[in-house]
């Protein structure tokens, strides 16, 4: 048998191994039509999957959420319309456990010092208050039916740096009135967001309305070293 033929057969074998064995090793579990692991490696990974035992925070009876993080760590926060009414955290494309506590109608979630977290808030109703504390994060929320926001009151505090968007496929969507507070040397920046009315309170904080963001009516109360910037923030 020629050496070139051996090389070709070896290359085909390596390719098959990559498709059949190495791919599942990235942590994904491949399942069949009966929702069973599709291959041997997927079966092993599924047995080590701890996410099924994790306890996730329920939003039943919750009106206020506080996310407590670290100023130098990044996060992505997204509101998803769903009847599950739970909060899930992902890291490296895997669900991860997290610390949380309930106090009456308030849920407090404490993020650890990992470099990045994706936070998905699945809810079928609007929250009264979302508090972002010591967070450097992107916040995405799609307008709900009737142009309601995912939250009525947004508080950004303790040196948080937040970039928010209320993007919608319909460019005519305008979020109905919400209240926003930015304080403690925090920055809040909006991209591609449209609001009918905002009651704004800045206390040593900054609001930036970037390109594609519009507010019909802005009622602003500025205290301390506070600023409102329309357009790109200067370098």
């Amino acid at each position: 048998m020629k050496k070139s033929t051996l090389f070709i057969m070896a290359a085909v074998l390596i390719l098959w191994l990559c498709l059949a064995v190495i791919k599942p090793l990235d942590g994904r579990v491949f399942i069949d039509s009966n929702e069973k692991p599709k291959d041997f490696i997927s079966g092993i990974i599924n047995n080590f999957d701890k996410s099924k035992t994790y306890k996730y925070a329920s939003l039943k009876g919750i009106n206020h959420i506080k996310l407590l993080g670290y100023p130098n760590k990044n996060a992505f926060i997204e509101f998803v319309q769903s009847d599950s009414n739970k909060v899930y955290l992902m890291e490296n494309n895997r669900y991860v456990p997290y610390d949380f506590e309930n106090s009456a109608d308030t849920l407090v979630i404490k993020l650890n010092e990992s470099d990045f977290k994706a936070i998905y808030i699945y809810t079928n109703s609007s929250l009264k208050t979302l508090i972002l504390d010591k967070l450097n994060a992107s916040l995405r929320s799609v307008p709900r039916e009737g142009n309601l926001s995912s939250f009525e009151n947004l508080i950004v505090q303790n040196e948080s740096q937040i970039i928010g968007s209320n993007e919608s496929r319909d460019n005519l969507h305008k979020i109905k009135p919400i209240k926003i507070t930015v304080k403690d040397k925090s920055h809040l920046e909006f991209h591609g967001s449209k609001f009918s009315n905002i009651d704004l309170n800045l206390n040593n904080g900054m609001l930036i309305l970037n390109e594609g963001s519009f507010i019909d009516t802005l009622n602003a109360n500025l205290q301390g070293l506070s600023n409102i910037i329309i357009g790109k923030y200067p370098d």
Side-chain angles (χ1 to χ4, degrees):
M1 186 178 293
K2 295 181 179 180
K3 287 186 176 181
S4 59
T5 304
L6 290 174
F7 285 136
I8 293 174
M9 292 178 64
V12 172
L13 178 61
I14 292 173
L15 179 61
W16 180 84
L17 287 173
C18 289
L19 293 175
V21 179
I22 297 177
K23 189 175 181 180
L25 289 178
D26 67 359
R28 288 178 288 180
V29 175
F30 296 88
I31 61 174
D32 56 23
S33 58
N34 296 317
E35 298 187 358
K36 301 294 184 181
K38 198 173 184 179
D39 52 68
F40 177 71
I41 300 298
S42 290
I44 294 176
I45 295 173
N46 186 60
N47 289 334
F48 285 96
D49 181 16
K50 303 296 185 182
S51 64
K52 292 176 287 188
T53 65
Y54 294 158
K55 184 179 180 181
Y56 300 109
S58 171
L59 296 180
K60 184 177 180 180
I62 295 297
N63 291 319
H64 316 281
I65 292 181
K66 181 177 181 179
L67 298 176
L68 179 60
Y70 295 83
N72 297 322
K73 303 298 180 180
N74 297 318
F76 170 77
I77 307 165
E78 181 169 3
F79 280 82
V80 182
Q81 294 191 52
S82 170
D83 292 332
S84 65
N85 287 312
K86 289 183 179 294
V87 180
Y88 296 95
L89 267 67
M90 296 189 73
E91 185 177 345
N92 297 323
N93 293 320
R94 293 177 176 84
Y95 290 114
V96 294
Y98 55 91
D99 294 328
F100 67 90
E101 59 184 39
N102 293 334
S103 177
D105 62 347
T106 300
L107 169 67
V108 179
I109 296 176
K110 299 177 181 179
L111 305 182
N112 60 32
E113 295 187 70
S114 297
D115 288 334
F116 183 84
K117 281 285 192 301
I119 306 162
Y120 295 95
I121 301 174
Y122 289 81
T123 177
N124 56 10
S125 61
S126 294
L127 294 170
K128 289 189 180 298
T129 310
L130 175 65
I131 303 173
L132 305 179
D133 191 307
K134 299 180 183 177
L135 269 179
N136 186 3
S138 296
L139 171 65
R140 186 175 186 272
S141 172
V142 176
R144 301 176 177 278
E145 183 178 353
N147 292 358
L148 293 175
S149 173
S150 297
F151 39 81
E152 299 174 13
N153 186 15
L154 174 63
I155 300 175
V156 181
Q157 62 187 29
N158 285 333
E159 300 183 6
S160 294
Q161 307 284 326
I162 306 298
I163 297 178
S165 64
N166 280 305
E167 299 176 357
S168 170
R169 295 177 182 177
D170 182 357
N171 291 329
L172 297 179
H173 269 79
K174 292 182 181 179
I175 299 298
K176 288 187 175 179
I178 65 172
K179 296 180 180 179
I180 295 177
T181 298
V182 185
K183 58 184 180 179
D184 309 323
K185 299 181 180 179
S186 298
H187 290 185
L188 173 62
E189 181 174 351
F190 280 115
H191 290 262
S193 303
K194 300 174 178 62
F195 302 91
S196 63
N197 183 285
I198 291 180
D199 286 331
L200 176 67
N201 182 28
L202 296 180
N203 190 340
N204 292 319
M206 180 181 295
L207 174 68
I208 304 170
L209 293 176
N210 221 313
E211 295 180 2
S213 293
F214 303 94
I215 303 174
D216 286 345
T217 303
L218 176 63
N219 302 311
N221 176 25
L222 278 65
Q223 302 176 38
L225 299 176
S226 300
N227 289 285
I228 299 175
I229 296 177
I230 309 298
K232 184 179 179 181
Y233 183 69
D235 296 328

